[in-house]
Amino acid sequence: MGDQDQLAIQLAQKIVAPILWSTQQDFFIQDYHKDYYDEVVNLIKHHYFRNEPMCRSKRLLQDPVSVNGYLELINFWLKDETSIIALSAKSHRVVGVAITKPNYLAERSDIYSREQLYEGEALAAINHLKCGVIKQSNFFHSKGISEFLRIYLLCVHPSYKAKGVGVELLETCKELAWFLNFPFISGILTSHEHRMYADNAGYKLHSEIPYKNWMIDNQIVFDDPGIGNYSAAFMIKSTSNDKPNMENF
């Protein structure tokens, strides 16, 4: 039985038991299940919305319309059931999440125009820049592909940042993309910290827009992203030579 056939059987059993992707001393990584929805949302609201450079710069938490719109997006992304979570080995609480969703060439126009659909000043500004990075990358055509798996959101609880959760989540995303037959895994990394995670996981820079260069009416849109956070970077990793270790499964 081939590796991907083996995974297909496991995927069919997800309703009974989630796939355990990785086990470390302080945490383990498994596929997301709706039972963890409230924990995932609480993690994002308390840490990502507060500390992610663009959310921080645009004071997202002070914009209820944008917060609600972002949560609606998160709910939409999670419905694809391709996301993964990190759980504490001791408490089994959610300490990290990587929300992923397939992107297809046929849906490209929708992806590029969605910023026009969002209410809330902060959310519209954030999505506008992310769409700009995607457009600049010209990823589908530059790589000659029709689909890839994209990381839409990465969040790690502060108490687990030094334990390797971020890097392991990104490593697992590569394995997930390989198993699902996507040629690339990609994500827009917006902080220096997350870019270091991606570097350590073997991702490469494909396109980026410095915050200081993103201006509207001669005003920098994200003028306070935090020390060390310089750009929104579209980073990618090919899955063609990244066959995972099946002993984890």
Side-chain angles (χ1 to χ4, degrees):
M1 179 182 297
D3 292 340
Q4 291 175 335
D5 291 333
Q6 181 178 337
L7 182 76
I9 294 173
Q10 292 170 320
L11 289 173
Q13 296 172 341
K14 280 183 67 175
I15 193 169
V16 177
I19 295 174
L20 181 63
W21 292 93
S22 174
T23 302
Q24 306 296 322
Q25 180 178 348
D26 298 305
F27 64 92
F28 59 95
I29 294 178
Q30 67 175 49
D31 57 317
Y32 165 79
H33 189 276
K34 63 182 180 181
D35 289 348
Y36 290 98
Y37 178 80
D38 288 341
E39 282 192 56
V40 167
V41 168
N42 284 335
L43 178 72
I44 291 169
K45 288 171 67 176
H46 285 98
H47 301 292
Y48 187 86
F49 285 175
R50 190 179 308 278
N51 299 316
E52 188 276 331
M54 290 194 288
C55 293
R56 177 182 184 274
S57 183
K58 297 304 292 182
R59 297 173 177 82
L60 178 82
L61 286 175
Q62 298 177 27
D63 182 350
V65 175
S66 289
V67 169
N68 290 335
Y70 218 141
L71 292 175
E72 289 179 8
L73 273 178
I74 289 166
N75 184 57
F76 171 70
W77 295 332
L78 287 172
K79 286 181 179 179
D80 267 289
E81 297 187 350
T82 61
S83 300
I84 54 175
I85 54 176
L87 301 175
S88 165
K90 183 176 181 180
S91 68
H92 287 202
R93 301 290 293 180
V94 175
V95 296
V97 60
I99 298 179
T100 68
K101 188 179 184 300
N103 276 198
Y104 299 102
L105 178 60
E107 300 173 353
R108 180 182 56 179
S109 60
D110 292 334
I111 293 170
Y112 290 171
S113 63
R114 282 175 188 161
E115 72 267 21
Q116 301 174 7
L117 305 179
Y118 297 147
E119 296 182 0
E121 180 183 351
L123 180 59
I126 290 166
N127 191 67
H128 191 200
L129 175 53
K130 287 185 176 181
C131 287
V133 177
I134 294 289
K135 288 179 182 178
Q136 179 177 279
S137 75
N138 196 26
F139 192 50
F140 287 113
H141 291 292
S142 66
K143 295 297 182 182
I145 58 175
S146 60
E147 60 185 18
F148 62 92
L149 188 64
R150 177 178 163 189
I151 303 165
Y152 278 81
L153 189 149
L154 177 68
C155 181
V156 177
H157 191 281
S159 64
Y160 277 76
K161 287 183 177 181
K163 299 181 185 294
V165 172
V167 175
E168 194 65 24
L169 281 168
L170 292 177
E171 290 277 6
T172 303
C173 285
K174 292 190 300 181
E175 297 184 3
L176 175 64
W178 184 90
F179 278 126
L180 296 178
N181 287 317
F182 288 103
F184 285 91
I185 177 71
S186 73
I188 298 176
L189 287 308
T190 59
S191 71
H192 174 74
E193 180 178 54
H194 286 184
R195 285 191 64 167
M196 293 302 97
Y197 294 161
D199 284 340
N200 290 334
Y203 289 65
K204 302 300 182 183
L205 178 65
H206 188 72
S207 176
E208 71 176 327
I209 295 178
Y211 294 127
K212 67 179 182 180
N213 292 348
W214 190 252
M215 305 178 72
I216 294 179
D217 297 328
N218 293 320
Q219 296 292 320
I220 298 175
V221 177
F222 301 99
D223 58 357
D224 184 24
I227 297 174
N229 303 317
Y230 301 113
S231 67
F234 186 64
M235 301 188 72
I236 67 172
K237 174 66 176 172
S238 171
T239 63
S240 60
N241 296 316
D242 253 11
K243 180 179 178 180
N245 182 0
M246 292 301 296
E247 292 179 0
N248 290 334
F249 302 94

